[in-house]
Every structure is written in structure tokens, then in C-alpha cells.
Amino acid sequence: MFAYPTVRASFIFLAVALLGLLVADIAITTANPWQDLGRFFLGVATPNFFSTEGLLTALLRTVAFAFVGVTLGSICGFLLALVYRFLPVRIFCAFIRAIHELFWALIFLQFFGFHPLTGVLAIAIPYSGIFAKVYSEILEEADPEPGRLLPPGTSSIAAFLYARIPDCWVQMRTYTAYRLECGLRSSAILGFVGLPTLGFYLESSFSQGLYSDAGAMLILFYVLIATMPLWVRPKLLPIYILAAPFFLGDGLPIVWGNVERFFTEDIIPSPIRDGEGLAAIWAWLSDVLITEALPGIWNTVVLTQIALVATGILSLLAFPLISNHFGGPVRRTSGHVFLVIARSTPEYILAYILLQLWGPSMLPAVVALALHNGGIIGHLIGRQTNTIHLRPDAPVGFSRYSWELVPRIYRSFLAFLFYRWEIIMRETAILGILGIYTLGFYVDSAIQNIRFDRAMVLILITALLNIGVDALGRFIRRKLALQTMPTC
């Protein structure tokens, strides 16, 4: 068994995660966690849709931010995809997509304030990098044959528009629609930094113990995601895109003096601002690295590796829930509902809820990351098993699972898992805003203390860490000859 590279790689990652558990802060610190969890589920079972004033407005603004941000991101991403072959463009796209939407929002809040532009750019900028990467891969894989059939003398622009784009259009449209679902999740969590989306009201309800109100918001969000095929129609998209900017709200006016001060003073390292010389700069940077960056990196990596393995285990346990090779229609329908809820709930919201119920530790973050990412991979793998035809005398039950299906989908499973690795690390870093000692905790603390120079250094370190993990994931996928498949 250990002769297979995929099995050896799996056990190496499992061993790293088990070592991480020995040093991780995994605990439930609340006095009555099960009582609090019961109150939460009771609130979900008895939702109050009419108590929160402005809930419908928040829902509309959540959709509006998603549409405007994803539209701008897709346009910019497409333009970047056309020149993605150049190394500086690839580095630029890798950098902007490595910084989480909430980090971008925290940056823009410092000079744009609570203006709609903050939320739009927080989504559009990282999504531009993501779209550029995926669109370029789709364009590279396009069939070159239609271009060869064009008449001689056809311009390169005409060849691109009439030969390559039609061949790629379905894939690009499908991925863009899927990214819109991701945009809705990103838009919702922007409320946790004060923007008027669903997350703002969800945080307010939880802080007051209004679980029925919070349950109503979650149910509305699930319905919004689940019904996307019904209301996101190609003919209606132009109307949505044109109308969305009018539902963003007004916010506070932008003070352009704050923008200038942010770039010319706030983010300049304090030793440079104060003219203290190179020695002071090195002492300042050393202090940032030793007291904040290194502890943040350590906790981010430990939590990421535990969550990655937990995601893999949950994915392998979850895919039979929707596989046609197990159970009947009722069980598969229940499985679909569970996986829709798991993958539709942003990790940040899941972690926030669990932190309120279980107290501050890494445990809520691990569970939140595993549920969300395991729901995504379990859904994709489950659909893949539905295309597998078993022989008539194939075993049933656990033998079918372990000897027939898992070996056939295991390489695809690892490809999905290693693709999600960088995404899990991005989410792990941002969960520090909730009080977990990852890099996001130190970024948020620096911003709260108006030390933007330290915050920018930590955000840069976070981006470099994510880029490194992404590169390592691609290297492992190549070594194991795993086919990559883009997911949200």
C-alpha cells in the first residue's frame, strides 16, 4: 500500500496534522456548550423573519455587492488573462488573490471609510487575480483547430473573438456563475467589518443572544444560494448588473485627505517617518517579526494543516451521502441538503457561530474550515461517483465504498484537496480577526492600535505565505500527476 505515492503523501499529511494537534489550542471553554448549541438550533428551527429592521435591505445589499464586485473582477480578470503569460502579471495576480477579501476591506476602511467602494474593491481585487488565473487556463486549453480554419489574413483579434472565445465560452460562463456564488459568501462576511450586508445583522443578533433572528438570516442566505439557478438567468444578468450599483447604499463621503495620508504617512514604517535611520528600521522590523509575525505564522500553519486533514476525512465520509451507489432517494436528498448548507455557509460565519457557542480556541476554526471545504469536496466527489458504472457483481456496503469507489476517485479527491490548501490557509489567516492567534489576529490588533505600518507588513507576510503554499500545492500535484480542477 505504501508503494503508491498518493498513499505515502496522504500519510505524511496525516502525521503532520497529528503532530499539530499536540501543540494546538483545541478546547471548549464555555460553561454550557451543549445548552448554547441547543439554543442555537432551536433558533434555527423557530426563525423570526420579521424582528430585524432592515433585513431585506441587507439582503439586497449583499446581492448588490456580490454582483458589482464579481462583474468588475471578471472584466479585469479577463483582461489580465490575455497577458497572463508574462511573469510580472502572474506575480501581480498571485499577490492580489493571496490577500483575503476581509484584509482588503480592512485596508480600504482606513481611507475610504464605510463607503460602498470599500466593499466593491474588497471583492473585485482578489477576484481579478482568481479570474485571471482560471480564465488563462481555460484559454490555454482551447482547441486550436478552429483558428487554423479561418481565412488567411484574418487579424489576431478577429481570430480570438471568433475562434477561441466560442470554444471557451461555456467553461468561462460556468466558472463565472460559480464565482458569483462565492461572491455572495464574500459579500455576506463583509458585514463583520461594519459594511451593511447580512453579516452585520448576523453578528448583532448573536451578540444579543437573538438566535431566532440569526436563524432567520441564515435560512434566507441558504435560500438565496440554493435558488440561484432560478433567479440568475442569462437574460436577466444585464438588468442585475445595471441595477446593482443603485442598491449599494450611500455610506459616508470619502475624505480624500485620508487617502493621501494613508499612502504618504500611515503605512510608512515609523522609523522612516521619524527619520531614525537604518538601525532603527532593522530593530522595528525585527520586533514585528519576532513578536507578531512568527507566532502568527506558526499558528496559521498548524491550524491550516489540521483543518486540511480534517477536510479530507470529512470529504471521504460525506460523498456517499449523495452518491447513487449508496442509499435511496430520501437519504440522497437529505445528503444534498446537508452538503448545500455546509458549502454555502462561509467559514468565517461558521467559525463566528462556533466561537460564540464553544469559546475561543482553534477548535471552532477547525470545525468551520472542515465543514465548509469538506462540503464542497464531498459534493464534487459525490457527483463524480455518479458517473462510475460498477459491474453487476460489485460488493455492497462498506466493501463497495472502500474497495470499489474510493480507489477510483482518490486521485481526484487529492487534486481537489491540494487545490483547497491555499484557500484554507487564506481563511485560517483571516479567522484571526475573531480572536484566534493566527496572522489575522495580529493584523487586526495593529489596525485597532492605529499601527498601519505594522499591519501592512503582516498582510504582506500573509500574502507571501499563501503564495508559497499555493506553489507547494502545485508542485505536489505535478509530482503525483494529479489533474487540477478549479473550485471556489
Side-chain angles (χ1 to χ4, degrees):
M1 181 174 65
F2 287 96
Y4 295 100
T6 53
V7 176
R8 287 200 304 270
S10 302
F11 275 98
I12 290 172
F13 275 83
L14 178 61
V16 171
L18 291 176
L19 290 174
L21 283 173
L22 298 178
V23 298
D25 176 23
I26 303 292
I28 296 177
T29 58
T30 52
N32 297 301
W34 300 114
Q35 181 181 349
D36 293 336
L37 195 62
R39 289 175 58 202
F40 168 70
F41 282 117
L42 180 62
V44 173
T46 58
N48 188 350
F49 294 100
F50 304 102
S51 65
T52 303
E53 218 175 293
L55 180 57
L56 181 59
T57 302
L59 203 63
L60 287 174
R61 285 179 177 169
T62 300
V63 175
F65 274 110
F67 266 101
V68 177
V70 172
T71 300
L72 289 177
S74 62
I75 293 171
C76 295
F78 179 76
L79 296 176
L80 289 168
L82 301 180
V83 291
Y84 197 78
R85 63 185 180 276
F86 298 112
L87 181 60
V89 177
R90 294 201 301 273
I91 293 174
F92 171 74
C93 292
F95 178 77
I96 62 175
R97 71 172 180 263
I99 301 175
H100 193 277
E101 299 90 278
L102 276 185
F103 279 147
W104 284 113
L106 287 174
I107 293 171
F108 292 126
L109 275 173
Q110 308 315 311
F111 49 88
F112 287 151
F114 293 102
H115 190 276
L117 194 58
T118 294
V120 169
L121 292 179
I123 295 175
I125 290 177
Y127 277 40
S128 297
I130 296 170
F131 275 122
K133 177 185 177 183
V134 176
Y135 284 168
S136 67
E137 291 174 353
I138 293 174
L139 290 171
E140 286 176 3
E141 295 171 1
D143 186 2
E145 190 61 29
R148 301 192 186 101
L149 301 178
L150 293 174
T154 303
S155 67
S156 57
I157 296 177
F160 179 79
L161 293 176
Y162 292 102
R164 294 186 70 188
I165 290 295
D167 186 62
C168 302
W169 178 248
V170 174
Q171 285 180 283
M172 296 175 72
R173 183 183 65 187
T174 301
Y175 182 77
T176 305
Y178 190 64
R179 182 53 57 179
L180 178 61
E181 178 184 333
C182 302
L184 287 170
R185 294 198 291 268
S186 299
S187 177
I189 66 173
L190 290 178
F192 284 86
V193 295
L195 293 172
T197 62
L198 203 61
F200 178 83
Y201 293 91
L202 186 66
E203 182 181 29
S204 176
S205 296
F206 259 101
S207 63
Q208 300 175 62
L210 303 175
Y211 294 124
S212 292
D213 296 2
M217 295 174 204
L218 287 174
I219 290 172
L220 286 175
F221 187 70
Y222 297 145
V223 171
L224 184 71
I225 297 291
T227 59
M228 281 185 66
L230 301 178
W231 58 272
V232 180
R233 298 295 182 89
K235 293 181 179 179
L236 296 176
L237 282 177
I239 299 174
Y240 292 149
I241 293 171
L242 292 174
F246 297 98
F247 290 92
L248 294 175
D250 298 325
L252 298 175
I254 296 174
V255 180
W256 293 104
N258 293 340
V259 179
E260 181 183 358
R261 187 182 70 248
F262 182 82
F263 287 103
T264 59
E265 296 182 26
D266 292 345
I267 64 174
I268 304 299
S270 57
I272 297 178
R273 288 201 310 265
D274 301 335
E276 297 176 0
L278 292 177
I281 293 175
W282 175 247
W284 174 84
L285 185 59
S286 299
D287 181 61
V288 174
L289 292 176
I290 294 172
T291 62
E292 298 177 3
L294 291 179
I297 291 171
W298 170 257
N299 288 321
T300 300
V301 171
V302 168
L303 180 52
T304 297
Q305 296 310 113
I306 297 173
L308 180 72
V309 172
T311 295
I313 293 172
L314 185 61
S315 302
L316 292 176
L317 294 176
F319 83 79
L321 296 177
I322 63 169
S323 175
N324 292 337
H325 300 292
F326 302 96
V330 175
R331 179 180 174 180
R332 287 196 294 273
T333 301
S334 302
H336 273 292
V337 172
F338 169 74
L339 292 182
V340 165
I341 292 174
R343 72 176 189 268
S344 298
T345 310
E347 301 100 315
Y348 194 91
I349 291 179
L350 276 172
Y352 176 81
I353 292 171
L354 294 174
L355 277 166
Q356 307 308 306
L357 301 176
W358 294 345
S361 78
M362 288 187 178
L363 180 60
V366 170
V367 174
L369 290 164
L371 278 174
H372 176 75
N373 293 283
I376 291 175
I377 299 177
H379 169 75
L380 295 171
I381 294 300
R383 288 198 310 179
Q384 184 176 338
T385 62
N386 292 337
T387 64
I388 296 175
H389 299 285
L390 300 178
R391 64 185 189 277
D393 61 338
V396 296
F398 183 73
S399 295
R400 170 174 294 188
Y401 170 84
S402 57
W403 297 105
E404 290 288 336
L405 292 175
V406 169
R408 299 191 189 191
I409 54 90
Y410 198 73
R411 297 182 67 82
S412 296
F413 156 75
L414 285 182
F416 283 123
L417 189 63
F418 286 130
Y419 187 90
R420 298 295 303 182
W421 191 8
E422 182 263 343
I423 298 171
I424 290 173
M425 178 161 283
R426 280 202 325 142
E427 296 293 338
T428 299
I430 202 66
L431 290 180
I433 296 177
L434 296 175
I436 303 165
Y437 292 114
T438 61
L439 279 165
F441 174 83
Y442 297 98
V443 171
D444 188 52
S445 298
I447 290 175
Q448 295 297 326
N449 294 322
I450 320 180
R451 304 168 81 175
F452 303 124
D453 51 349
R454 299 174 78 94
M456 294 304 292
V457 170
L458 293 169
I459 289 175
L460 176 62
I461 290 172
T462 303
L464 294 176
L465 186 63
N466 288 336
I467 291 171
V469 167
D470 186 34
L472 180 58
R474 290 198 306 271
F475 172 77
I476 294 174
R477 291 198 301 266
R478 286 196 302 269
K479 290 292 287 185
L480 298 180
L482 303 176
Q483 182 181 1
T484 59
M485 305 177 190
T487 60
C488 180

